[in-house]
C-alpha cells in the first residue's frame, strides 16, 4: 500500500541543501533589514554586554527563567574558573496540574513572589550580594540593568509583566520577602551562553539556544549605540522569510498564543516539537495510515500532550511506544520516523540560520574560524542533533564547514548571568 500522507509529510519536512542555502541567504537579509529599520523581523536587541575580560571575579547570585523552570544559583568566579556554590530549581508549571505560575490567572506579583521564594531557599537569612538575571524573553534594554518585556513568547501568559521593567519587579518581590540581594544586570539566555562560550573559545561570536525556545545572538563589532563591540540578541525565533512552512506548522501556529509570530521557534524548538508530531500523527490516523482498526490507541495518543522528551523516547524506544499505546510495532516505527523527521528538520533549519549569521559577520561569505556557543536540551540531549547539524553545515559549505565549531556550553544561561553581574559590578 502506498502511504501517501506519510510520503508527502517526509518530503515536506526534508530540507534540501538548496533550501538550506536559500534559508541562510534569507536569514542574512533579515538581519540586515532588521538592523536598518525597527519594523524588521528581528528585534536586534542591544545587551550592553560585549567581550568579557576573562578576569571577572567574585561570588554572584543568578536567577534564570527559561520557559520550563526557574533556577536560582550562586556562583564563584575566579581566574577564569567557575564553581557553582548552590542551586535551587522550581518548575513554572506542575506537569500533574497542581500549579501553573505562567497561566493568565497569575500576575506579575504572583510570578516574581514565586522567584523570591525560591531565592529564599538558596540564600541564607540576611545574606546580601549582587545578582544577574537571565530573562529569556524579548526585552527592550536601555542599560545593563534595565529591560522591559516587549511581549511573552513560549506560550507564557502571566498578566502585568509586558511593558514592565523586569529587574524592578524582581527587586520589589525581594523587598516584600526581606531579601537583601540586589539585581545589577539583566540578559537574554543567548547572551549568557555566548559570554560563557567566550571564556573557553576566543573565536566564539554567536550564541544559540535550542531548548524550550529557539533564539540566537551574535557579537556586533562597533555597535552604533556605544561604538564598542556588543552582543545583540536577535530574537531570531521570529524568523520566517524563506522557511518551508507546512500545513502542520500552520495548524500549530493558528492554535498558539501568538499566531503569525515566532514561526521559526514553533518549527524547531522543544516546546512545540511534541505538538508537531501530534499534528502529523493525527493526520496519518485520519487518512487511515496509522492505528488502523485501533481506535483506542489513537484516542489515547490524541488525548495526550507531548514534550521533547516524549519525542526522544519515540525515536529511541519503539517498544515503549507499543507498551504505552497498545499499538503495533509497525505503528510505533511510523511514530519513530515522524519524530526523526521533525528532529532532522530542526537540525538543518538551525544550521542554515548559523550559516546566514556567519555570512553576515564575515561580510558576505564565511572566511575565518568561528565557534558557535550552544545551550539547551535539544542540542544537549536529543539524539544525534550535534552530528546532524555538523553534517548539514558540511552539505552546504563543503570544506569551509571546517571553519565552524559547534560547542555545547553547559549552563550558559545560569553561569552567563554571574559573569554579566561581575561585569556590571566592575563598571
Ligand atoms: C524565546 C525567547 C528568547 C529566548 C528563547 C530561548 O525565543 O523569546 O528571548 O532566548 O526563547 O529561550
Amino acid at each position: 500500500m502506498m502511504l501517501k500522507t506519510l510520503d508527502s509529510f517526509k518530503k515536506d519536512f526534508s530540507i534540501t541543501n538548496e533550501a538550506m542555502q536559500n534559508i541562510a541567504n534569507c536569514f542574512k537579509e533579515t538581519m540586515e533589514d532588521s538592523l536598518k529599520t525597527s519594523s524588521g523581523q528581528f528585534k536586534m536587541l542591544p545587551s550592553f554586554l560585549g567581550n568579557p575580560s576573562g578576569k571577572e571575579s567574585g561570588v554572584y547570585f543568578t536567577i534564570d527563567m527559561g520557559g520550563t523552570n526557574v533556577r536560582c544559583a550562586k556562583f564563584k568566579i575566579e581566574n577564569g574558573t567557575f564553581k557553582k556554590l548552590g542551586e535551587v530549581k522550581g518548575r513554572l508549571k506542575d506537569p500533574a496540574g497542581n500549579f501553573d505560575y505562567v497561566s493568565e490567572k497569575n500576575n506579575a506579583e504572583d510570578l516574581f513572589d514565586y522567584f523570591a521564594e525560591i531565592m529564599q531557599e538558596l540564600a541564607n537569612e540576611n545574606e546580601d550580594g549582587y545578582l544577574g538575571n537571565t530573562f529569556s524573553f524579548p526585552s527592550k534594554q536601555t542599560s545593563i540593568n534595565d529591560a522591559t518585556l516587549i511581549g511573552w513568547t513560549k506560550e507564557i501568559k502571566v498578566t502585568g509583566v509586558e511593558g514592565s521593567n523586569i529587574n524592578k519587579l524582581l527587586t520589589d518581590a525581594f523587598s516584600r520577602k526581606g531579601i537583601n540581594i540586589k539585581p545589577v544586570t539583566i540578559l537574554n539566555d543567548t547572551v549568557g551562553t555566548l559570554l560563557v562560550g567566550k571564556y573557553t573559545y576566543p573565536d566564539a561570536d554567536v550564541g544559540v539556544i535550542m531548548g524550550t525556545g529557539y533564539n540566537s545572538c551574535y557579537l556586533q563589532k562597533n555597535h552604533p549605540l556605544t561604538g564598542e563591540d556588543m552582543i545583540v540578541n536577535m530574537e531570531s525565533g521570529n524568523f520566517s522569510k524563506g522557511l518551508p512552512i507546512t500545513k502542520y506548522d500552520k495548524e500549530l501556529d493558528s492554535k498558539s498564543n501568538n499566531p503569525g509570530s515566532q514561526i521559526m521557534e514553533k518549527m524547531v524548538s522543544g516546546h512545540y516539537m511534541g505538538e508537531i508530531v501530534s499534528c502529523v500523527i493525527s493526520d496519518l490516523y485520519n487518512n487511515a495510515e496509522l492505528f488502523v482498526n485501533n481506535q483506542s490507541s489513537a484516542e489515547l495518543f490524541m488525548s495526550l500532550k507531548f514534550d521533547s522528551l516524549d519525542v526522544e523516547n519515540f525515536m529511541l524506544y519503539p517498544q515503549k511506544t507499543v507498551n504505552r499505546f497498545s499499538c503495533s510495532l509497525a505503528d510505533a516505527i511510523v511514530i519513530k520516523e515522524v519524530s526523526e523527521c521533525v528532529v532532522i528538520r530542526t537540525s538543518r533549519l538551525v544550521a542554515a540560520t548559523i550559516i546566514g549569521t556567519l555570512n553576515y559577520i564575515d561580510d558576505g561569505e564565511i572566511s575565518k574560524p568561528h565557534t558557535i556557543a550552544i545551550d539547551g536540551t535539544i542540542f544537549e540531549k536529543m539524539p544525534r542533533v550535534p552530528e546532524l547539524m555538523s553534517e548539514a553545515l558540511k552539505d552546504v559549505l563543503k570544506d569551509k564547514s571546517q571553519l565552524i565549531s559547534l560547542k555545547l556550553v553547559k549552563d550558559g544561561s545560569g553561569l552567563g548571568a554571574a559573569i554579566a553581574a561581575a561585569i556590571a559590578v566592575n563598571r
Side-chain angles (χ1 to χ4, degrees):
M1 187 178 70
M2 163 94 166
L3 293 179
K4 276 210 209 113
T5 314
L6 186 60
D7 287 344
S8 62
F9 153 76
K10 283 185 182 167
K11 189 164 162 282
D12 293 347
F13 269 62
S14 77
I15 311 291
T16 62
N17 298 347
E18 294 69 40
M20 273 190 65
Q21 186 63 66
N22 176 46
I23 293 163
N25 294 343
C26 291
F27 195 89
K28 175 172 174 277
E29 277 164 29
T30 305
M31 285 178 74
E32 287 159 352
D33 291 349
S34 305
L35 284 166
K36 275 188 229 130
T37 85
S38 56
S39 58
Q41 218 166 51
F42 297 163
K43 295 197 166 64
M44 297 302 209
L45 303 164
S47 67
F48 297 89
L49 289 161
N51 292 302
S53 67
K55 297 197 178 84
E56 285 75 17
S57 68
V59 172
Y60 300 95
F61 287 94
T62 61
I63 183 162
D64 172 14
M65 178 190 176
T68 310
N69 297 304
V70 54
R71 290 182 307 152
C72 291
K74 192 175 168 183
F75 290 93
K76 183 171 184 185
I77 315 178
E78 201 175 33
N79 300 327
T81 62
F82 315 108
K83 193 166 171 208
K84 197 189 276 180
L85 304 177
E87 181 179 67
V88 181
K89 186 161 110 176
R91 286 195 77 100
L92 291 169
K93 186 174 169 176
D94 177 23
N98 295 318
F99 62 86
D100 180 354
Y101 285 100
V102 288
S103 80
E104 66 279 17
K105 294 200 188 91
N106 286 290
N107 61 26
E109 232 177 85
D110 301 324
L111 182 67
F112 284 78
D113 280 350
Y114 177 55
F115 295 170
E117 273 166 35
I118 294 176
M119 188 50 88
Q120 264 177 330
E121 282 180 48
L122 173 74
N124 300 319
E125 226 180 308
N126 296 326
E127 190 172 0
D128 55 13
Y130 295 116
L131 171 140
N133 179 5
T134 301
F135 186 72
S136 304
F137 300 91
S139 307
K140 186 169 168 35
Q141 194 134 358
T142 49
S143 80
I144 197 168
N145 197 29
D146 291 285
T148 304
L149 174 63
I150 299 170
W152 286 121
T153 50
K154 299 179 274 195
E155 308 300 307
I156 294 187
K157 299 184 187 133
V158 183
T159 59
V161 187
E162 287 167 329
S164 299
N165 182 315
I166 300 304
N167 273 358
K168 166 98 177 39
L169 292 177
L170 189 63
T171 308
D172 291 350
F174 280 1
S175 46
R176 283 194 291 275
K177 297 249 183 298
I179 299 173
N180 293 322
I181 296 165
K182 189 170 176 250
V184 288
T185 183
I186 181 160
L187 65 158
N188 189 258
D189 50 0
T190 54
V191 176
T193 300
L194 180 52
L195 281 179
V196 179
K198 280 188 153 296
Y199 257 80
T200 325
Y201 313 105
D203 63 359
D205 50 8
V206 177
V208 180
I209 297 288
M210 296 173 73
T212 308
Y214 150 80
N215 184 16
S216 55
C217 70
Y218 73 102
L219 186 75
Q220 172 68 53
K221 296 264 170 216
N222 313 318
H223 192 284
L225 273 182
T226 56
E228 289 171 11
D229 295 357
M230 194 197 287
I231 303 176
V232 172
N233 163 20
M234 293 198 261
E235 287 295 326
S236 55
N238 196 39
F239 180 56
S240 69
K241 190 174 171 187
L243 287 179
I245 300 166
T246 67
K247 62 177 181 178
Y248 306 108
D249 300 304
K250 287 187 187 147
E251 182 184 336
L252 178 145
D253 178 50
S254 69
K255 287 193 234 151
S256 73
N257 207 16
N258 50 357
S261 302
Q262 299 295 104
I263 299 296
M264 169 81 178
E265 177 161 80
K266 288 170 187 164
M267 291 171 81
V268 303
S269 80
H271 184 87
Y272 300 95
M273 216 169 241
E275 204 174 326
I276 298 183
V277 171
S278 292
C279 291
V280 179
I281 298 299
S282 116
D283 197 26
L284 292 173
Y285 172 66
N286 292 334
N287 289 300
E289 290 179 26
L290 192 79
F291 300 134
V292 179
N293 300 326
N294 190 350
Q295 203 184 337
S296 59
S297 298
E299 276 169 10
L300 176 60
F301 197 96
M302 278 9 136
S303 70
L304 298 175
K305 281 199 182 337
F306 303 113
D307 60 17
S308 58
L309 189 62
D310 293 304
V311 176
E312 187 180 326
N313 281 322
F314 293 154
M315 283 166 68
L316 293 177
Y317 312 109
Q319 190 56 47
K320 269 198 193 168
T321 310
V322 170
N323 300 342
R324 187 172 176 193
F325 299 103
S326 312
C327 62
S328 67
L329 186 60
D331 282 347
I333 287 174
V334 171
I335 297 170
K336 169 186 159 81
E337 283 176 7
V338 168
S339 304
E340 277 168 357
C341 288
V342 171
V343 170
I344 295 171
R345 183 179 75 157
T346 286
S347 310
R348 292 182 70 84
L349 289 179
V350 176
T353 65
I354 290 173
I355 298 176
T357 310
L358 297 180
N359 283 340
Y360 168 79
I361 295 177
D362 283 358
D363 259 341
E365 209 179 313
I366 303 173
S367 55
K368 55 180 193 295
H370 297 269
T371 292
I372 318 298
I374 313 182
D375 194 9
T377 43
I378 301 300
F379 188 75
E380 187 183 353
K381 305 239 165 84
M382 197 56 98
R384 291 190 58 237
V385 165
E387 293 93 89
L388 287 166
M389 288 175 66
S390 300
E391 279 165 25
L393 293 175
K394 200 162 175 207
D395 285 346
V396 177
L397 298 171
K398 312 283 183 280
D399 284 353
K400 279 210 163 167
S401 65
Q402 287 166 12
L403 291 169
I404 309 174
S405 7
L406 307 177
K407 293 287 183 195
L408 172 68
V409 169
K410 269 191 155 191
D411 204 9
S413 53
L415 186 52
I419 298 173
I423 296 175
V425 167
N426 278 335
R427 266 190 209 167

